[in-house]
């Protein structure tokens, strides 16, 4: 680190100055071509690991962030956030863990209709986005999480969601079998009415 | 960050108090987000893990609850009634011996379906709480408060192909040709050549000094024509003086310029 | 620095997350009372001195800043491809075919005045350069093309430009156009006003 233009110094400066997380390709463009950016980032991450500022991988990109254990110190920096309704929270969790997921599937999982505002609010916050359509009759829109979601919750990728492996192993993330409910009344009843108290 | 964390302990998510004992309570459905939510709340009263939950007992609890609500003439939303009907059917399937030649799901399978459904919902509630409690940007962890950002310097790169260049040349060349054809009219000046001719011709008949003005053409209409003729005639007189074909005289600065045929030696 | 809540870590996080430079009193309020904030800041400054990010004192307050020698990293040149104006294109063509050529001759050939910016732009791009003065009254500057011009248009030398006859054969020049020489021959009326729409 003593030589003037060491690549770690350059990486440090770039990541400190950036207003948003940077991906490796962007970083590589600013460095000599023959450098292993991934290895340098790992090295920088290790250098900063014990410090008050850490190098984090979020949404597949890199960003310096304050160490999580110092949150009590930084209370004054806290940004006011709007409180989400329980419906919005559950919907967010369902979209995150079950994506891509349709509105009907969210309603089925929660056993209650979803008011229009709930998904809209999550999209407005920038955590949820439409992610195509499911190739089934009716071609319903399916939803997924955004990079903004990963950045906000400090996740490198969606597979880093807490407990995702265990939940999958426990069969709790499997999509329910395609509706065989035509035959009899055996399958669980589907929600019909939208609960008007759902508004987020 | 990649280590799977152990699942968190169940958290109480309900924002309103869950119904207390089935006997004497105020029945209200206002606090519930649909029948599954009510079922989860009732299940929690069994104080067991969802996996060892008695679905039969849960079904009875739910039916009691809805019955109590209806006794109190509370409005019960259709969703809750549909679930009640389904649970009543489930209860009968669980209590009666399974028919031999069975179509569709068995009572046990139906119970497992409900159990899984409740498990999924409860899990999502837990995960929502875990997510919201985790280190979130702007709440527990912070990005740099004053990032310098990357300054963008814009630089123009001009693109121009050879054919564009050639077309441009051709275009202005054609323009020039058009202009050349339009501008055939002679310039409105009195040319020095014309002045020379006129001066040479007139000098022969001028034995004595005469002013320069006397040699100007007679048909000068405008001041410009006059100035042009004067200048050209003056230039022509100098040209003739140089070759000794005229004598010039001016008595004082800005005085009249006189000229005559040179005296023969 | 190894203990979890070392004051240097706290200072680091505070200064990193702050949205403005912080003074020592503000920093002291966030730290245990018995600490020498000035000494800690000096220590932190020393730690960061060789790095890509430095701790700087500005107007009596403290702030992390990208190291001055790495400022260039934070500048991104973005090239915008632009097209030449018609006036600039024609001027360039005239300079190429008739060099060395004076401004007055260009104006004469185009039949319109040349705005100041046009020749300046061509010189700035590096395609046209002054090429001496013409030994006539007024000693006007004459212009010619540069090596950069030849490179851009893929010409080995200026003689490689298609000749007037070739242009005519290619249909680019009107057959009726009389071959005009610039310097001598019949001269065209001189333009008087500069066309303001000519700006490159």
């Amino acid at each position: 680190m003593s030589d003037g233009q060491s690549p770690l110094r350059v990486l440090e400066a770039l990541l400190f100055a950036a207003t948003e997380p940077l991906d490796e390709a962007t970083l590589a463009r600013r460095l000599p071509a023959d450098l292993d950016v991934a290895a340098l980032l790992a090295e920088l991450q290790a250098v900063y690991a014990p410090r008050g500022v850490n190098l984090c991988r979020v949404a597949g990109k890199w960003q310096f962030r304050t160490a999580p254990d110092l949150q009590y110190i930084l209370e004054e920096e806290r940004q006011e956030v709007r409180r989400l309704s329980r419906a919005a929270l559950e919907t967010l969790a369902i979209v995150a863990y079950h994506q891509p997921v349709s509105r009907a599937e969210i309603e089925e999982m929660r056993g209650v209709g979803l008011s229009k505002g709930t998904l809209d609010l999550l999209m407005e916050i920038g955590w949820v986005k439409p992610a195509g359509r499911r190739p089934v009759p009716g071609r319903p829109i399916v939803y997924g999480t955004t990079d903004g979601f990963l950045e906000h919750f400090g996740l490198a990728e969606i597979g880093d969601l807490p407990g995702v492996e265990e939940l999958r192993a426990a069969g709790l993330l499997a999509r329910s079998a395609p509706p065989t409910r035509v035959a009899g009344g055996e399958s669980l009843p589907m929600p019909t009415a939208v609960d008007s108290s759902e508004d987020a | 960050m990649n280590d799977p964390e152990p699942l968190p302990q169940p958290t109480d998510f309900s924002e309103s108090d869950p119904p207390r004992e089935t006997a004497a309570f105020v029945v209200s459905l206002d606090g519930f987000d649909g029948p599954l939510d009510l079922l989860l709340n009732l299940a929690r009263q069994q104080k067991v893990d969802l996996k060892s939950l008695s679905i039969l007992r849960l079904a009875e609890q739910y039916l009691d609850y809805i019955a109590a609500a209806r006794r109190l003439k509370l409005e019960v939303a259709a969703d809750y009634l549909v679930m009640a009907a389904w649970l009543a059917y489930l209860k009968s399937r669980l209590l009666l011996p399974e028919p031999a030649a069975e179509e569709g799901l068995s009572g046990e399978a139906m119970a497992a379906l409900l159990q899984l459904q409740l498990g999924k919902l409860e899990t999502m509630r837990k995960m929502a709480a875990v997510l919201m409690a985790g280190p979130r940007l702007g709440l527990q962890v912070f990005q740099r408060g004053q990032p310098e950002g990357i300054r963008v310097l814009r630089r123009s790169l001009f693109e121009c192909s050879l054919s564009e260049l050639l077309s441009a040349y051709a275009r202005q060349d054609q323009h020039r040709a058009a202009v050349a054809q339009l501008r055939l009219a002679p310039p409105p000046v009195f040319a020095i050549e014309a002045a020379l001719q006129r001066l040479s011709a007139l000098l022969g008949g001028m034995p004595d000094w005469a002013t320069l003005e006397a040699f100007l053409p007679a048909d000068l209409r405008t001041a410009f024509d006059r100035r042009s003729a004067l200048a050209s005639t003056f230039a022509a007189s100098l040209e003739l003086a140089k070759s000794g074909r005229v004598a010039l005289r001016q008595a004082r600065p800005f005085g009249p310029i006189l000229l005559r045929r040179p005296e023969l030696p």
Side-chain angles (χ1 to χ4, degrees), chain B residues 29 35 67 129 159-160 203 236:
Chain B
L29 296 175
E159 194 41 73
C160 176
L203 268 175

Side-chain angles (χ1 to χ4, degrees), chain B:
Chain B
M1 186 177 256
N2 289 319
D3 290 340
E5 299 170 9
L7 284 183
Q9 291 304 303
T11 323
D12 187 356
F13 283 89
S14 57
E15 285 155 358
S16 57
D17 288 338
R20 280 156 288 169
E21 283 310 305
T22 20
F25 54 70
V26 180
V27 177
S28 165
L29 296 175
D30 289 347
F32 297 107
D33 271 3
L36 276 184
D37 185 33
L38 173 55
L39 275 169
L40 259 187
N41 275 280
L42 293 170
R44 208 168 289 133
Q45 289 183 313
Q46 292 192 20
K47 293 191 170 61
V48 289
D49 191 81
L50 270 184
K51 286 179 196 131
S52 43
L53 186 73
S54 162
I55 292 294
L56 182 60
R57 199 180 144 205
L58 183 66
E60 284 168 344
Q61 280 178 298
Y62 184 94
L63 291 171
D64 287 350
Y65 195 89
I66 296 297
R70 302 192 79 179
R71 261 200 311 280
L72 292 171
K73 300 198 190 310
L74 292 179
E75 195 183 330
V76 178
D79 274 0
Y80 291 87
L81 298 178
V82 172
M83 179 61 83
W86 188 82
L87 288 171
Y89 176 64
L90 169 64
K91 188 177 153 188
S92 71
R93 292 288 301 269
L94 287 172
L95 290 175
L96 300 173
E98 292 291 338
E102 192 191 323
E103 286 184 13
L105 296 175
S106 68
E108 297 301 327
M110 285 172 67
L113 198 65
L114 176 60
Q115 206 151 15
L116 178 65
Q117 190 76 5
L118 290 173
K120 280 185 174 180
L121 180 56
E122 185 177 54
T123 306
M124 284 304 107
R125 291 189 173 178
K126 278 184 202 161
M127 294 344 282
V130 170
L131 273 180
M132 298 316 277
R136 292 163 64 190
L137 187 65
L139 293 170
Q140 286 85 27
V141 300
F142 299 87
Q143 53 191 1
R144 189 156 175 220
Q146 297 175 276
E148 287 107 326
I150 304 284
R151 287 180 292 280
V152 174
L153 308 177
R154 294 187 188 283
R155 225 156 261 175
S156 294
L157 175 72
F158 282 90
E159 194 41 73
C160 176
S161 68
L162 187 58
S163 79
E164 272 178 293
L165 184 71
L166 299 181
S167 307
Y169 184 68
R171 190 167 58 221
Q172 70 81 29
D173 190 80
Q174 277 163 3
H175 173 73
R176 181 150 37 112
V179 169
Q181 284 162 357
L182 281 175
R183 300 285 182 151
L184 287 177
V189 294
F190 188 57
I192 293 179
E193 288 76 11
L196 265 176
Q197 264 182 1
R198 183 177 171 80
L199 204 53
S200 307
L202 291 178
L203 268 175
M206 288 286 175
D208 206 354
W209 295 103
T211 59
L212 189 63
E213 281 81 357
F215 295 90
L216 298 187
D219 57 345
L220 298 174
R221 283 188 293 269
T222 66
F224 175 83
D225 289 347
R226 188 177 164 74
R227 278 206 310 278
S228 169
L230 188 62
S232 299
T233 306
F234 176 63
S237 71
L238 292 178
E239 197 70 37
L240 288 177
K242 213 166 77 179
S243 57
R245 289 156 65 196
V246 72
L248 293 177
R249 197 171 90 181
Q250 187 177 28
R252 53 192 161 82
F254 301 108
I257 294 169
L258 304 174
L259 49 148
R260 71 165 193 200
R261 210 167 34 167
E263 294 192 42
L264 296 172

